[in-house]
Amino acid sequence: MLIIEDYEEDALLLARHLTRGGYKLDWRRIETAIDLKAALDEAEPWDLIIADYTLPSFGARDALALLQQTGLDIPFIIVSGTVDEVSAVNAMRAGAHDYVLKGHLERLMPAIERELADSARRKERLATELELKLAQQRFSATFNQAAVGMAHTTTDGNFLLANRRLADLLMVDPSGFRGLILGDFILPSDRVTKRALLNEMLEGKRSGFRIEVTLLRTDGATFPAQLTVSALTYDDRGESTLLWVIEDISARKAAERETSELMTRLINSERLAAAGRMANTLAHEINNPLEALTNIVYLLQTQTLSSQAIELLDVAARELERVGHITRSTLSFYRKVPGRTLDLHAILDEVLQLFASRAQQHGVELLPRYNDSIRIVRYDPSLRQVFANVVGNALEAMEQSGGRIYIRGRVSGDHVTVTVADNGHGIEREHMRAVFEPFFTTKGEKGTGLGLWVTRGIVEEQGGVLQLRSCTHGPKHGTTIRIRLPIESRDNVPTAIVQ
Ligand code: ADP
Ligand code: MG
């Protein structure tokens, strides 16, 4: 307690009065403004100030003014022998909490008790207000600075609150959410599911839900998002507010897509390997009996037979040729010998040799346009199958008309490009995709529809790319297949030693 008083005895009297009243006192008497200032500056706060009304140099009014300047909330009671009614009222107006006459000290104790209790209440309220403000700031910071979009809406989806992240995600002005409805930002096709889940939640069948939807931005763009919805029950009026947490999942979706593509590629290459193994076995199993049968038919044809028998033998020979064609075009080369490779020049030469007589028969020129440079790269012999299928197709596209087939090969950087171009009838636009599907053929009985499927499979298995370009009319009609392969092993080409 601070006592502002010029008489030491009066101060002692006061202190004794309070001690008798049950207080354990720590008090100090002061009588100047400087002392008061110094006392108020001390770290330990004072609980109570009692001031005489008029000191020679420094009165209660001055003390009050000083106290108010510091902003401290300390009960201030005037105890004076000489205070008149008007001065007392003025002092109270100026902020004194009470006044007591020295002649009526019995009033002092209740006044002190009341003022101390009031002061404690005031402090508590201040602390509570501060806490509340802090809680509000905390909520507001969490809500606004969250890395996910967040919104409060009515059960009809009317926005009550939306955070900054959501404003960014939807490209809405942060202050422009009033009057908007969250559902309008969901792609119409996704709204039905959301509505159903929301209804179940509002009926109490679930406490919340999470769905993936496509959201519409105000600029018309869309993005995949995950919505997590729950009902907030803070509202005393019993009305539900919905809390929405909205996350942009574009990145996750892209990663998922990539994984699934990778899986498909893996499955495909596995399938191809299995197909390769099966083809290998089949080719072996079919070729031997086929050869035997062909020979038998040939031998029979040299016999003298009835005309009906000869006719039947011709049919048998044609059918055998067909089986042979199938094994040749899809199975025969598919024999993987680990470790054995051929240089690209040799591979192409072999293929051209294979087709030489057939080409001549149909008036088709085979025009190799590759040189020794491609001898430096070596590939698995299964590549013969690739070029045989492609050249075979080119030939078949010109069997009626005749024409030219250019076969080019070029090394550039870390890859090799081989193109096979014909000026045959071309591929209809609507068939461009289908030609790579297994069993798609436009050649009826004569085709297997497996050629391009197997071809692309082998190319991709080798880490290459196959491109197709085709035109069915005009002077440039024809088809070009471009195969790009990575160079895996080069022959050790002797290089000049520079000294
Ligand atoms: P197939 O040759 O047994 O029909 P492919 O898979 O080799 O099976 O080819 C599928 C289809 O693609 C062919 O039926 C044909 O219609 C078309 N095609 C492929 N290559 C050519 C080409 N060079 N010119 C025209 N059409 C082609
Ligand atoms: Mg074919």
Side-chain angles (χ1 to χ4, degrees), residues 393-394 396-397 422 425-427 435 440-443 447-449 451-452 479:
N393 279 344
E396 282 157 15
D422 66 59
H425 55 61
I427 302 171
V435 293
F440 175 86
T441 179
T442 55
K443 296 167 193 167
T448 62
L452 283 180
T479 304

